[in-house]
Amino acid sequence: MDYIVYLSGEIHTNWREQIRDGVASADLPVSLYSPVTNHEASDEVGVQILGAEEKPFWKDHKASKINAIRTNNMLQQADIVVVRFGDKYKQWNAAFDAGQAVAMGKQLIVMHAPELTHPLKEVDAQAMAVTETPQQVVEILRYICQA
Amino acid sequence: MDYIVYLSGEIHTNWREQIRDGVASADLPVSLYSPVTNHEASDEVGVQILGAEEKPFWKDHKASKINAIRTNNMLQQADIVVVRFGDKYKQWNAAFDAGQAVAMGKQLIVMHAPELTHPLKEVDAQAMAVTETPQQVVEILRYICQA
Amino acid sequence: MDYIVYLSGEIHTNWREQIRDGVASADLPVSLYSPVTNHEASDEVGVQILGAEEKPFWKDHKASKINAIRTNNMLQQADIVVVRFGDKYKQWNAAFDAGQAVAMGKQLIVMHAPELTHPLKEVDAQAMAVTETPQQVVEILRYICQA
Amino acid sequence: MDYIVYLSGEIHTNWREQIRDGVASADLPVSLYSPVTNHEASDEVGVQILGAEEKPFWKDHKASKINAIRTNNMLQQADIVVVRFGDKYKQWNAAFDAGQAVAMGKQLIVMHAPELTHPLKEVDAQAMAVTETPQQVVEILRYICQA
Amino acid sequence: MDYIVYLSGEIHTNWREQIRDGVASADLPVSLYSPVTNHEASDEVGVQILGAEEKPFWKDHKASKINAIRTNNMLQQADIVVVRFGDKYKQWNAAFDAGQAVAMGKQLIVMHAPELTHPLKEVDAQAMAVTETPQQVVEILRYICQA
Amino acid sequence: MDYIVYLSGEIHTNWREQIRDGVASADLPVSLYSPVTNHEASDEVGVQILGAEEKPFWKDHKASKINAIRTNNMLQQADIVVVRFGDKYKQWNAAFDAGQAVAMGKQLIVMHAPELTHPLKEVDAQAMAVTETPQQVVEILRYICQA
Amino acid sequence: MDYIVYLSGEIHTNWREQIRDGVASADLPVSLYSPVTNHEASDEVGVQILGAEEKPFWKDHKASKINAIRTNNMLQQADIVVVRFGDKYKQWNAAFDAGQAVAMGKQLIVMHAPELTHPLKEVDAQAMAVTETPQQVVEILRYICQA
Amino acid sequence: MDYIVYLSGEIHTNWREQIRDGVASADLPVSLYSPVTNHEASDEVGVQILGAEEKPFWKDHKASKINAIRTNNMLQQADIVVVRFGDKYKQWNAAFDAGQAVAMGKQLIVMHAPELTHPLKEVDAQAMAVTETPQQVVEILRYICQA
């Protein structure tokens, strides 16, 4: 079968490209979805399209909701959700996506360094795989795609 | 109507007690649920009941799953989920709970200091109220409980 | 069986009281839920509890979401949703509630004057009864409550 | 990913054509669905196909239900529902569609003039974007369609 | 556990009373729900409460929908649905109830004489028990109610 | 949009062919599904494939379940379910299909002669259109398929 | 909160009584449900109530379905499902119950000896706790029931 | 219509190939999905990709979860689930898959030798067909695929 995989979370390293390359090299029947990973565009989109706000709260609010139109659709369409946690920033949206994915019955794969095991234990506990590298995700996809 | 409210998130301040006191003072028809907030008991429960583990990952894993038996049931039973983010720790489990609550169609109330607005924008965007204090949560409960 | 009935819509006449009186007189096993019908309290609740807003849009936004915590819960708990349309105001929230009720699989009863038949045809089409008076609603409740 | 967008509400201006043109110009992977926007055909379809009625209520009833076969299917298939409210007519069916869309977990975009903010506050509160023009809807679609 | 049992179908023999007596004699923790079994009241309720109709179709339509407010709620609340088919009348509403019950995931018990086996084969095929007498239904309830 | 339409019920007249011809003539984007309409094949399939039975009940049981593999899938895939009731036979399976369709949220169209209005009132009450001829079904499909 | 716990699986040791005693001793707010554990009654119930069968297959079939009326209801009502696998018999029904429980979103606790780890790995993988003794189940219940 | 069929269970005989050949010979519009049937690869995949474990329990755990990413997706996509039980091994995963399939509303076909009737009675009771050979499954597929 074909799989739709939504790649959620950290946006400051090239892990999505590595997965994309791995999937392409192995010629896997996998469609990869991503949020808008241009940080500035993603932060500005609300006021850009819908008009300026004085309070940062409402600026963020309008941006987050437009981004949610995309991410909610991707979460709903996805068969598998991969969420990567980096070592910087709060990344609460990554954990929030993971929570939605689990409640929607999607198969969750988490990616993070071993140092983050303790704070991520609740997320890991409901994942189908806890990985450390994009290569491991590609290997899992290759394994589940075999005839 | 009566409401079941699940109080998720930060466990190092007495915000739950403040809400509990406010609800009791106002004699509201509200049942309050909480996770196990004894940090050590919560971390140790897996190995305590199910046997020791050498790797911290599996120790955390066993604990988180037992805790999930409680929290998943509370999330399913709840009408309203209040999630508080403090200024310390990663608190990914709080955002994870918030994600599950939203995907389950629960009414979400978030509580955090204004400084956390930007990293919490995706969570706030799907909440029905973004509060800063336990008193505001009590006021909301009082408002929605009126005859 | 007992029924939970949510009374949605128009708030400027005493139709809810008439239904309440009818249900009490007939001693029916019916719990009646209502939104906050104090117009001013309902409009002000957002800024009252969560802080002032300059733009009317955000003032309304905060109020509507707090009110939604109540109404969404009532819609979810209800077995039957009665929605009354009056001859004044836009009352889009009444039609919005009716739409949610139908999509949630609730039994919908609509109440309005015959003059409103044409603009309400889509709502009426998915209702289980189209009434004109509170007395008719009480009669329906009495009928379905018989042993 | 591709999106299916259902354009609900006001039928007396050419806003749907503007969105259609914008989507075509930008070559977006978006399918646009609309209700039957020929007002007379839509009003007459019940008696036209299923036979005459003396009472206007039943004439409307038969028409609305045939139209609902189309609109209910479009609501169920849609990923995003755009609902436009004009300054004329009651447009309760627009708010009714919006209520169904929200309860079905669809992403809702509302379009209306700022003057309608107060009566539409409950609908706006559950929308992912509140726009004023078709161009803003197109910009949102372009934003969420980027690679 | 306690069970809610909805007794649907044939209304011209006293099978419901026999089940009611059997449940009472055995003191089972079972709540029994029934449609309105007064044939005339059930046929007239629409025009009685909501006003006269010239066409029999609309008279039936209004009555059936008011009855559906009751039966849809009972179907939704029930744990078990018992549907009895007699040897007279079309009883399409009984089969219609059975279809709804199965699609809602309720446990279905059918009751009918052996002569009706062939025309009822599709309904029987999705039932958990095919009985011939009220006593058999009572025996099943007694069996599943044991400690 | 394209529609999948499941044609359920009476199998002794050529109404399905008339709809098929009408859909083909009008070149509508409609896929038509049918149960196995070969009466004998449908009755014998259980014992044919799975082995003989002495009791007619089990012969029917095995056949009905194999047929249900097909019809349940068609009901689940369908956007619209058309159910025709003829003037002969019990046709409880038609009403059973209609009940399942309604509980699954499918749009229901019923077809029957006016003489059957009273015994079919509960089914008609939850239908989106009550037709008498295949031509009316085709007209409805043509109407909802227009651009 | 209170919990409903369904105790599924092996019926030849007194593990249910041990859990029942533990729950009673600790005075936990837990309701315990069980299938009919009288092996002979459970095997004979179909033919006992619904009439004799010559083929063992149909005898088993009728019995299993009556038992399913009870177990399906218990699975639906339960918050937590405990499934014990013993060292004898096939116990496919235990694994079948576990599969249903997981697909219904229930919290699953498995109990079995360590020797059965390999053949039960797929079931264990989706459980929230894998225990070996009734005492461990009681400890988990005590832990999640604390204030 | 086209069908997606997931072939679950026993992996030591060539029953899947026989079904695959039968489907190909008859040119049926059926897509066949299978779990990874290479026993060793399936057992080793967890430690192979995600790193070694000392305890067999965690080795199995990691492997089972990666396999579940595949099988859960296949169960969700499938229209029909065929589960074969052989005469060797515990095969609890086969019964576990069957339980999930039934709870998800999939049409279940079971395959096993007559000797296994008694221990499989609960699974058989909720199946749409109980077969003994791959040829019978192919015949059922051919029957339900006819025009």
Side-chain angles (χ1 to χ4, degrees):
Chain A
M1 66 173 288
D2 295 2
Y3 296 93
I4 296 175
V5 179
Y6 177 52
L7 304 173
S8 169
E10 193 252 355
I11 60 171
H12 300 95
T13 65
N14 73 337
W15 68 279
R16 283 186 184 81
E17 285 64 39
Q18 293 184 50
I19 291 179
R20 207 171 293 278
D21 290 350
V23 162
S25 302
D27 199 23
L28 303 179
V30 169
S31 301
L32 296 169
Y33 288 172
S34 303
V36 172
T37 55
N38 176 328
H39 197 148
E40 199 192 328
S42 160
D43 277 3
E44 299 297 322
V45 66
V47 296
Q48 200 84 32
I49 297 179
L50 300 177
E53 292 294 334
E54 282 177 39
K55 296 192 185 177
F57 182 88
W58 297 121
K59 178 187 166 189
D60 279 343
H61 195 75
K62 285 160 92 170
S64 301
K65 283 192 162 169
I66 291 178
N67 283 303
I69 296 174
R70 177 171 169 135
T71 56
N72 284 350
N73 272 305
M74 288 178 169
L75 280 167
Q76 287 173 4
Q77 299 290 331
D79 300 306
I80 297 169
V81 176
V82 180
V83 185
R84 176 174 152 85
F85 293 86
D87 54 356
K88 281 189 288 198
Y89 306 102
K90 295 288 191 185
Q91 302 173 92
W92 283 319
N93 61 324
F96 186 66
D97 278 2
Q100 288 183 278
V102 162
M104 287 171 172
K106 307 299 180 180
Q107 311 307 308
L108 176 67
I109 298 175
V110 183
M111 192 195 310
H112 63 78
E115 297 81 60
L116 298 180
T117 287
H118 192 61
L120 278 169
K121 63 183 180 300
E122 286 86 2
V123 181
D124 288 354
Q126 307 214 28
M128 285 301 174
V130 179
T131 63
E132 296 178 26
T133 67
Q135 285 65 43
Q136 287 175 314
V137 173
V138 173
E139 283 178 62
I140 291 172
L141 293 175
R142 184 155 35 190
Y143 175 79
I144 65 170
C145 285
Q146 68 188 273
Chain B
M1 65 173 288
D2 296 1
Y3 297 93
I4 296 175
V5 180
Y6 176 52
L7 304 172
S8 169
E10 192 252 355
I11 60 170
H12 300 97
T13 66
N14 73 338
W15 69 279
R16 285 187 182 81
E17 285 63 39
Q18 293 184 50
I19 291 178
R20 207 170 293 277
D21 290 350
V23 163
S25 302
D27 199 21
L28 302 179
V30 169
S31 301
L32 296 169
Y33 289 172
S34 302
V36 171
T37 55
N38 177 329
H39 198 148
E40 199 193 328
S42 161
D43 277 2
E44 300 296 324
V45 66
V47 294
Q48 200 83 34
I49 297 179
L50 299 177
E53 292 294 333
E54 281 176 41
K55 296 193 184 175
F57 183 88
W58 296 122
K59 179 189 167 187
D60 279 343
H61 196 75
K62 284 158 93 172
S64 300
K65 283 193 163 169
I66 291 178
N67 282 303
I69 297 175
R70 177 173 171 136
T71 56
N72 283 351
N73 271 305
M74 288 179 170
L75 280 167
Q76 287 175 2
Q77 299 289 330
D79 301 307
I80 297 169
V81 175
V82 180
V83 185
R84 175 173 156 86
F85 294 86
D87 53 357
K88 280 188 291 199
Y89 306 102
K90 294 289 189 183
Q91 303 172 88
W92 283 319
N93 61 323
F96 186 67
D97 278 2
Q100 288 184 278
V102 162
M104 287 172 172
K106 307 299 180 178
Q107 311 306 308
L108 176 67
I109 298 175
V110 183
M111 192 194 312
H112 62 77
E115 297 82 60
L116 298 179
T117 288
H118 192 62
L120 279 169
K121 62 183 183 300
E122 286 86 2
V123 181
D124 288 355
Q126 307 215 27
M128 285 300 174
V130 179
T131 63
E132 296 177 24
T133 67
Q135 285 65 43
Q136 288 174 314
V137 173
V138 173
E139 283 179 63
I140 291 171
L141 293 175
R142 182 154 37 190
Y143 175 81
I144 65 169
C145 285
Q146 69 188 273
Chain C
M1 65 173 289
D2 296 1
Y3 297 93
I4 297 175
V5 180
Y6 177 52
L7 304 173
S8 169
E10 192 252 356
I11 61 171
H12 300 97
T13 66
N14 73 337
W15 67 280
R16 284 186 184 82
E17 285 64 39
Q18 293 184 50
I19 290 179
R20 207 171 292 278
D21 290 350
V23 162
S25 303
D27 199 23
L28 302 178
V30 170
S31 301
L32 296 168
Y33 289 171
S34 302
V36 172
T37 56
N38 177 328
H39 197 148
E40 200 193 328
S42 160
D43 277 3
E44 300 296 323
V45 66
V47 295
Q48 201 83 33
I49 297 179
L50 300 177
E53 291 295 334
E54 281 176 42
K55 295 192 185 175
F57 183 88
W58 296 122
K59 178 188 167 188
D60 279 342
H61 195 76
K62 284 159 92 171
S64 301
K65 283 192 162 168
I66 291 179
N67 283 303
I69 296 174
R70 176 171 171 136
T71 56
N72 284 350
N73 272 304
M74 288 178 169
L75 281 168
Q76 286 173 4
Q77 299 289 330
D79 300 307
I80 297 169
V81 176
V82 180
V83 185
R84 176 175 154 85
F85 293 85
D87 53 358
K88 281 188 291 198
Y89 306 102
K90 294 289 190 184
Q91 302 173 90
W92 283 319
N93 60 324
F96 186 66
D97 278 1
Q100 288 184 279
V102 162
M104 287 172 173
K106 307 299 180 179
Q107 310 307 307
L108 176 67
I109 298 175
V110 183
M111 192 194 311
H112 62 76
E115 298 81 60
L116 298 179
T117 288
H118 192 63
L120 279 168
K121 63 182 181 300
E122 286 87 2
V123 181
D124 288 355
Q126 307 214 27
M128 285 300 174
V130 179
T131 64
E132 296 178 26
T133 68
Q135 285 65 43
Q136 287 175 314
V137 173
V138 173
E139 283 179 63
I140 290 171
L141 293 175
R142 182 153 37 189
Y143 175 79
I144 64 169
C145 285
Q146 69 189 273
Chain D
M1 66 173 288
D2 296 2
Y3 297 93
I4 296 174
V5 179
Y6 176 53
L7 304 173
S8 169
E10 193 252 354
I11 59 170
H12 300 95
T13 65
N14 72 337
W15 68 279
R16 283 186 184 81
E17 285 64 38
Q18 293 185 50
I19 291 178
R20 208 171 292 276
D21 290 351
V23 163
S25 303
D27 199 22
L28 303 178
V30 169
S31 301
L32 296 169
Y33 289 172
S34 302
V36 172
T37 55
N38 177 328
H39 197 149
E40 200 192 328
S42 160
D43 277 3
E44 300 297 323
V45 66
V47 296
Q48 200 84 33
I49 297 178
L50 299 177
E53 291 295 333
E54 282 177 39
K55 295 192 185 177
F57 183 87
W58 296 121
K59 179 189 167 186
D60 279 343
H61 195 75
K62 284 159 94 171
S64 301
K65 282 192 163 169
I66 290 178
N67 283 303
I69 296 174
R70 177 171 170 135
T71 56
N72 284 351
N73 271 306
M74 288 179 170
L75 280 168
Q76 286 174 4
Q77 299 290 330
D79 301 307
I80 298 170
V81 176
V82 180
V83 185
R84 176 173 154 85
F85 294 85
D87 53 358
K88 281 189 289 199
Y89 306 102
K90 295 289 190 185
Q91 303 173 90
W92 283 319
N93 60 325
F96 185 67
D97 277 2
Q100 288 184 279
V102 162
M104 287 172 173
K106 307 299 180 180
Q107 311 306 309
L108 177 67
I109 298 175
V110 183
M111 192 195 310
H112 63 77
E115 298 81 61
L116 298 180
T117 288
H118 192 63
L120 278 169
K121 64 184 182 298
E122 287 86 2
V123 181
D124 288 354
Q126 308 214 28
M128 286 301 174
V130 179
T131 63
E132 297 178 24
T133 67
Q135 286 65 44
Q136 287 174 314
V137 173
V138 173
E139 283 178 62
I140 291 172
L141 292 176
R142 183 154 37 189
Y143 175 79
I144 64 170
C145 285
Q146 68 189 271
Chain E
M1 64 173 290
D2 295 2
Y3 296 93
I4 296 175
V5 179
Y6 177 51
L7 304 173
S8 169
E10 193 251 356
I11 60 170
H12 300 96
T13 65
N14 73 337
W15 68 280
R16 285 186 182 81
E17 285 63 39
Q18 293 184 49
I19 291 179
R20 206 170 293 279
D21 290 350
V23 162
S25 302
D27 199 23
L28 303 179
V30 169
S31 301
L32 296 168
Y33 289 173
S34 303
V36 172
T37 56
N38 177 327
H39 197 148
E40 198 192 329
S42 161
D43 277 2
E44 300 296 322
V45 66
V47 295
Q48 200 84 33
I49 297 180
L50 300 177
E53 290 295 332
E54 281 176 41
K55 295 192 185 175
F57 183 88
W58 296 121
K59 179 188 167 188
D60 279 342
H61 195 75
K62 285 159 92 171
S64 300
K65 282 193 163 167
I66 291 178
N67 283 303
I69 297 175
R70 176 172 171 137
T71 55
N72 283 350
N73 272 305
M74 288 178 170
L75 280 168
Q76 287 174 2
Q77 299 289 332
D79 300 308
I80 297 169
V81 176
V82 180
V83 185
R84 176 174 154 84
F85 293 86
D87 52 358
K88 281 188 290 196
Y89 305 103
K90 295 289 190 184
Q91 301 173 90
W92 284 320
N93 61 324
F96 186 67
D97 277 2
Q100 288 184 279
V102 162
M104 287 171 171
K106 308 299 181 179
Q107 310 307 308
L108 176 67
I109 297 175
V110 183
M111 192 194 310
H112 62 78
E115 297 81 60
L116 298 179
T117 287
H118 192 63
L120 279 169
K121 63 183 182 299
E122 286 86 2
V123 181
D124 288 355
Q126 307 215 27
M128 285 301 174
V130 179
T131 63
E132 296 178 25
T133 68
Q135 284 66 43
Q136 287 175 314
V137 173
V138 173
E139 283 178 63
I140 291 172
L141 293 176
R142 184 155 33 189
Y143 175 79
I144 65 171
C145 285
Q146 68 189 272
Chain F
M1 65 173 289
D2 295 1
Y3 297 93
I4 296 175
V5 179
Y6 177 52
L7 304 173
S8 168
E10 193 252 354
I11 60 170
H12 300 95
T13 65
N14 73 337
W15 68 279
R16 283 186 183 83
E17 285 63 39
Q18 294 185 50
I19 291 179
R20 207 171 292 277
D21 290 350
V23 162
S25 302
D27 199 22
L28 303 178
V30 169
S31 301
L32 296 168
Y33 289 172
S34 302
V36 172
T37 55
N38 177 328
H39 197 147
E40 199 192 328
S42 161
D43 277 3
E44 299 298 322
V45 66
V47 295
Q48 200 84 34
I49 298 180
L50 300 177
E53 292 294 333
E54 281 176 41
K55 296 193 184 176
F57 183 88
W58 296 122
K59 179 189 166 186
D60 279 343
H61 195 75
K62 284 159 93 171
S64 301
K65 283 193 163 168
I66 291 179
N67 283 303
I69 296 175
R70 177 171 171 137
T71 55
N72 284 351
N73 272 306
M74 288 179 170
L75 281 168
Q76 287 174 4
Q77 299 289 331
D79 300 308
I80 297 169
V81 176
V82 180
V83 185
R84 175 172 156 85
F85 293 86
D87 53 358
K88 280 187 290 197
Y89 305 102
K90 295 289 189 184
Q91 302 172 88
W92 283 320
N93 61 324
F96 186 66
D97 277 1
Q100 288 183 279
V102 163
M104 287 172 172
K106 307 299 179 179
Q107 311 306 308
L108 177 67
I109 298 176
V110 183
M111 192 196 311
H112 62 78
E115 296 82 61
L116 298 180
T117 288
H118 192 63
L120 278 169
K121 63 184 182 300
E122 286 86 1
V123 181
D124 287 355
Q126 307 215 27
M128 285 302 173
V130 179
T131 63
E132 298 178 24
T133 66
Q135 285 66 44
Q136 288 175 313
V137 173
V138 173
E139 284 179 61
I140 290 171
L141 293 176
R142 182 154 38 189
Y143 175 79
I144 64 171
C145 285
Q146 68 189 270
Chain G
M1 65 174 289
D2 296 1
Y3 296 93
I4 296 175
V5 179
Y6 177 51
L7 304 173
S8 169
E10 192 252 357
I11 60 170
H12 300 96
T13 66
N14 73 338
W15 67 279
R16 285 187 182 80
E17 286 62 39
Q18 293 185 51
I19 291 179
R20 207 171 293 278
D21 289 351
V23 162
S25 301
D27 199 23
L28 302 179
V30 169
S31 300
L32 296 169
Y33 289 172
S34 302
V36 172
T37 55
N38 178 328
H39 197 148
E40 199 192 327
S42 161
D43 277 3
E44 299 296 323
V45 66
V47 295
Q48 200 85 34
I49 297 180
L50 299 177
E53 291 295 333
E54 281 176 41
K55 295 193 185 176
F57 183 88
W58 295 121
K59 179 189 167 188
D60 279 342
H61 195 74
K62 284 159 93 171
S64 301
K65 282 193 162 168
I66 291 178
N67 283 304
I69 297 174
R70 177 171 171 137
T71 55
N72 284 351
N73 272 305
M74 288 178 170
L75 280 168
Q76 286 174 4
Q77 300 289 329
D79 300 307
I80 297 168
V81 176
V82 180
V83 184
R84 175 174 155 84
F85 293 85
D87 52 358
K88 280 187 291 197
Y89 306 102
K90 295 287 190 184
Q91 302 172 87
W92 283 320
N93 61 323
F96 187 67
D97 278 2
Q100 288 184 279
V102 163
M104 287 171 170
K106 308 299 180 178
Q107 311 306 309
L108 176 67
I109 297 175
V110 183
M111 191 194 313
H112 62 77
E115 296 82 60
L116 298 179
T117 288
H118 192 62
L120 279 169
K121 62 184 183 298
E122 286 87 2
V123 181
D124 288 354
Q126 308 216 27
M128 285 301 174
V130 179
T131 63
E132 296 178 25
T133 67
Q135 285 66 43
Q136 287 175 314
V137 173
V138 173
E139 283 179 62
I140 290 172
L141 293 176
R142 183 154 36 190
Y143 175 79
I144 64 171
C145 285
Q146 69 188 272
Chain H
M1 65 173 289
D2 295 1
Y3 297 93
I4 296 175
V5 179
Y6 177 51
L7 304 173
S8 170
E10 193 251 356
I11 59 169
H12 300 96
T13 65
N14 73 337
W15 67 279
R16 285 187 182 81
E17 285 64 38
Q18 293 185 49
I19 291 179
R20 207 171 292 278
D21 290 350
V23 162
S25 302
D27 198 23
L28 302 178
V30 169
S31 301
L32 296 169
Y33 288 174
S34 303
V36 172
T37 54
N38 177 329
H39 198 148
E40 198 192 327
S42 161
D43 276 3
E44 299 297 322
V45 66
V47 295
Q48 199 85 32
I49 297 180
L50 299 176
E53 292 295 333
E54 280 176 43
K55 296 192 185 177
F57 182 89
W58 296 121
K59 179 189 166 186
D60 279 343
H61 195 75
K62 285 159 92 171
S64 300
K65 283 193 163 168
I66 291 178
N67 283 303
I69 297 175
R70 177 171 170 137
T71 56
N72 284 351
N73 272 306
M74 288 179 170
L75 281 167
Q76 287 174 3
Q77 299 290 331
D79 300 307
I80 297 169
V81 176
V82 180
V83 185
R84 175 174 154 86
F85 293 86
D87 53 357
K88 281 188 289 196
Y89 305 102
K90 295 289 190 183
Q91 301 172 90
W92 282 319
N93 61 324
F96 186 67
D97 278 2
Q100 288 184 279
V102 162
M104 287 171 171
K106 307 299 179 179
Q107 311 307 308
L108 177 66
I109 298 175
V110 184
M111 191 195 310
H112 62 78
E115 298 81 59
L116 297 180
T117 287
H118 192 62
L120 278 168
K121 63 183 182 299
E122 286 86 3
V123 181
D124 287 354
Q126 308 214 27
M128 285 301 174
V130 179
T131 62
E132 297 178 25
T133 66
Q135 285 65 44
Q136 287 175 315
V137 173
V138 173
E139 283 179 62
I140 291 172
L141 293 175
R142 183 155 36 190
Y143 175 80
I144 65 170
C145 285
Q146 67 188 274

